Amino acid sequence: MDPFSDTLQRLREAFRSGGTRPAEFRATQLKGLGRFLQDHKKLLQEALAQDLHKSFFESDLSELILCQNEVNLALKNLHTWMKDEPVAKNLLTQVDSAFIRKEPFGLALIISPWNYPVNLTLVPLVGALAAGNCVVLKPSEISQGTEKVLAEVLPLYLDQSCFAVVQGGPEETQQLLKHKFDYIFFTGSPRVGKIVMAAATEHLTPITLELGGKNPCYVDDNCDPQTVANRVVWFRYYNTGQTCVAPDYVLCSPEMQERLLPAMQSAITRFYGDPRSSPNLGRIINEKHFQRLQGLLGCGRVAIGGQSDERDRYIAPTVLVDVQQTEPVMQEEIFGPILPILNVRSLDEAIDFINRREKPLALYAFSTRNQVVKQVLDRTSSGNFGGNDGFMFMTLNSLPFGGVGNSGMGKYHGKFSFDTFSHHRACLLAHSGLEKLKGIRYPPYTPRRKQLLSWALSFQNCTLL
């Protein structure tokens, strides 16, 4: 027996009733989500500590605060976002009303990952609710503590006639994906993303894929090595490196490498002291990922760190040098506290190295020379770009977040989330009379009529309704 049929049927009926469309209902849902975040802050912090050994500071900074900001922004701008958007008209439609209406898709499925299990679940949920959809939420079963809170507590704050959380592993997810949804939002690996996309194709379901990849970090010779080290170390080892936009490898000259290594060791010591006992360094999510990362420690030569403890799923902040491009650490997204450094002799060589690989989710460039950063930006492609800093763009809901090519498709955050979960419906409302004005369109066609039609179609006028 299909465990999801009854739930999905209930949600579809709720959407067809039209109850999710009014702004007042959407705002009520968003307020409920905001209350959940406020009422259960400690519970969520404890779940994140259980799953990933996240400090309360890190949980607040990268998960709870960003989610609350998204809720607040959506509530503040909901009516504006929902308004019909007038568009320019030609002379043939001048007396008509032309506009874009943002309407909900219907039943949306959100599949979220384990590495930021609150943020990457609730931020897309904000967009789906603001857009007026019914939602099925599928949190990751790997982050068990957070999954339990989302499944048992979150539904108490939302209208359960149009919202549901489903649990399970890959088998349950594959069974869920056999059903038709009106929109699918997936965050995870490119490998699983292909499976989700294939399932969406069966029903021609539109989809957003937020994937990952190997994010390059180019460090120019014209840099203060300690400044670069501070920023790279913080962003690489944040959440124990289990971040889809973390720098995955560094490209620099051999000379910069020699300057960068002691600066990175200094930053690691200042940030974490003894990393093993630091409250600010998390742990690897599970045994499977620990063993995978343990295998990568054998690539190249360990210049910093390299220590590990299987019982505690601990891997020290590690820097690898003398790494070959063909080694496993350069063939897959690392997703852990390991950072390889590869040597290049010039900016052109670095850009060529980047462009010969799949387009990454994020790309970083460090230099005191603005033209160097600008060249990397202009001559490469990535989902997101950071010049002289790490992934602080993630804190700006005024910027879209998303991948390109192998790192994903679609975008969200702020209004971009609302737009992602909204169908942009092209509308033209013509006057029921005034037929003489419309007569120019009808046969029989003459050269004079063609001339008038061409002129009328090419004339763009005001955008007022």
Side-chain angles (χ1 to χ4, degrees):
M1 182 178 175
D2 190 328
F4 306 119
S5 292
D6 289 347
T7 298
L8 299 183
Q9 180 64 25
R10 168 170 54 85
L11 298 180
R12 285 204 172 277
E13 288 175 359
F15 181 75
R16 282 196 291 266
S17 75
T20 66
R21 289 178 178 264
E24 295 73 21
F25 179 84
R26 304 184 195 193
T28 299
Q29 294 289 88
L30 291 169
K31 289 173 184 175
L33 181 53
R35 287 197 309 276
F36 164 75
L37 287 166
Q38 293 160 12
D39 293 351
H40 298 287
K41 176 180 177 179
K42 191 170 189 298
L43 187 62
L44 289 165
Q45 288 173 330
E46 289 170 348
L48 291 164
Q50 172 191 327
D51 292 334
L52 291 151
H53 201 267
K54 281 193 184 186
S55 67
F56 284 8
F57 177 90
E58 199 167 296
S59 294
D60 282 353
L61 192 64
S62 61
E63 305 251 20
L64 307 182
I65 292 173
L66 296 181
C67 290
Q68 189 65 60
N69 287 348
E70 291 281 338
V71 171
N72 294 343
L73 183 75
L75 283 170
K76 179 182 178 182
N77 294 282
L78 184 60
H79 287 274
T80 301
W81 292 350
M82 289 178 64
K83 282 182 180 177
D84 291 341
E85 183 181 334
V87 298
K89 294 178 287 186
N90 54 42
L91 281 181
L92 288 180
T93 58
Q94 199 54 225
V95 297
D96 304 329
S97 172
F99 56 91
I100 300 167
R101 171 158 294 178
K102 279 81 77 175
E103 60 182 28
F105 279 105
L107 180 55
L109 170 63
I110 297 173
I111 304 174
S112 59
W114 52 261
N115 59 323
Y116 289 86
V118 176
N119 183 329
L120 299 181
T121 302
L122 299 189
V123 170
L125 177 61
V126 171
L129 295 177
N133 295 280
C134 289
V135 181
V136 173
L137 206 60
K138 170 60 184 72
S140 173
E141 75 285 358
I142 295 175
S143 46
Q144 296 176 4
T146 307
E147 180 197 32
K148 180 177 169 62
V149 176
L150 293 174
E152 295 180 2
V153 184
L154 177 57
L156 304 177
Y157 286 78
L158 299 174
D159 189 323
Q160 295 185 46
S161 69
C162 53
F163 173 79
V165 179
V166 299
Q167 295 176 267
E171 186 177 333
E172 288 79 9
T173 303
Q174 287 184 353
Q175 191 171 4
L176 184 64
L177 285 167
K178 290 178 181 177
H179 290 273
K180 176 178 172 57
F181 290 90
D182 299 303
Y183 202 91
I184 296 175
F185 189 105
F186 170 80
T187 305
S189 68
R191 180 187 65 82
V192 180
K194 292 175 182 178
I195 296 171
V196 175
M197 190 170 184
T201 302
E202 287 296 313
H203 301 288
L204 296 179
T205 301
I207 187 169
T208 291
L209 296 175
E210 296 292 346
L211 309 177
K214 295 192 71 62
N215 304 314
C217 177
Y218 174 67
V219 181
D220 186 44
D221 282 349
N222 293 281
C223 281
D224 172 47
Q226 193 59 64
T227 298
V228 174
N230 293 342
R231 298 177 187 184
V232 170
V233 163
W234 189 56
F235 286 109
R236 170 69 262 190
Y237 304 118
Y238 196 88
N239 199 33
T240 326
Q242 298 167 120
T243 304
C244 60
V245 288
D248 209 71
Y249 61 93
V250 168
L251 296 173
C252 67
S253 69
E255 295 76 19
M256 175 49 73
Q257 177 179 302
E258 291 306 306
R259 298 166 62 200
L260 201 54
L261 284 172
M264 293 180 77
Q265 179 64 77
S266 172
I268 290 169
T269 302
R270 282 184 293 110
F271 293 173
Y272 305 112
D274 174 13
R276 189 190 300 265
S277 58
S278 172
N280 299 309
L281 189 71
R283 294 296 183 266
I284 307 307
I285 183 70
N286 60 20
E287 179 67 20
K288 176 184 174 183
H289 283 280
F290 177 87
Q291 293 297 339
R292 178 185 61 81
L293 290 165
Q294 183 88 338
L296 298 181
L297 289 173
C299 299
R301 174 173 63 85
V302 174
I304 298 172
Q307 302 85 2
S308 64
D309 182 350
E310 183 176 351
R311 291 169 301 175
D312 194 30
R313 301 197 309 275
Y314 164 79
I315 294 179
T318 298
V319 178
L320 302 177
V321 297
D322 302 335
V323 174
Q324 301 300 311
Q325 298 181 30
T326 54
E327 292 187 89
V329 77
M330 288 303 297
Q331 301 304 308
E332 61 182 73
E333 184 178 7
I334 296 170
F335 229 63
I338 301 169
L339 182 64
I341 299 180
L342 287 85
N343 293 146
V344 290
R345 288 289 177 182
S346 66
L347 173 62
D348 287 341
E349 185 182 342
I351 290 173
D352 180 64
F353 186 97
I354 293 166
N355 287 338
R356 281 188 283 111
R357 285 157 177 77
E358 296 282 6
K359 293 179 180 180
L361 183 57
L363 195 161
Y364 305 99
F366 288 84
S367 179
T368 55
R369 298 187 300 170
N370 290 336
Q371 64 268 32
V372 170
V373 175
K374 187 175 185 300
Q375 276 205 62
V376 179
L377 176 59
D378 290 347
R379 294 169 60 190
T380 61
S381 177
S382 62
N384 310 272
F385 182 84
N388 289 314
D389 209 350
F391 46 75
M392 288 304 293
F393 51 78
M394 294 284 289
T395 67
L396 297 178
N397 48 32
S398 53
L399 285 174
F401 174 69
V404 58
N406 198 65
S407 58
M409 61 182 73
K411 56 189 178 296
Y412 73 122
H413 285 183
K415 185 177 183 293
F416 302 100
S417 299
F418 175 85
D419 287 338
T420 285
F421 284 99
S422 299
H423 168 55
H424 289 224
R425 190 179 189 181
C427 303
L428 188 140
L429 307 182
H431 198 284
S432 59
L434 304 175
E435 185 62 7
K436 286 192 175 181
L437 288 176
K438 308 287 186 182
I440 191 175
R441 307 175 303 183
Y442 305 144
Y445 301 124
T446 63
R448 172 64 177 163
R449 186 166 290 188
K450 179 183 177 184
Q451 187 179 29
L452 285 172
L453 279 170
S454 298
W455 175 71
L457 287 170
S458 63
F459 185 86
Q460 295 291 319
N461 203 353
C462 63
T463 61
L464 296 177
L465 282 173

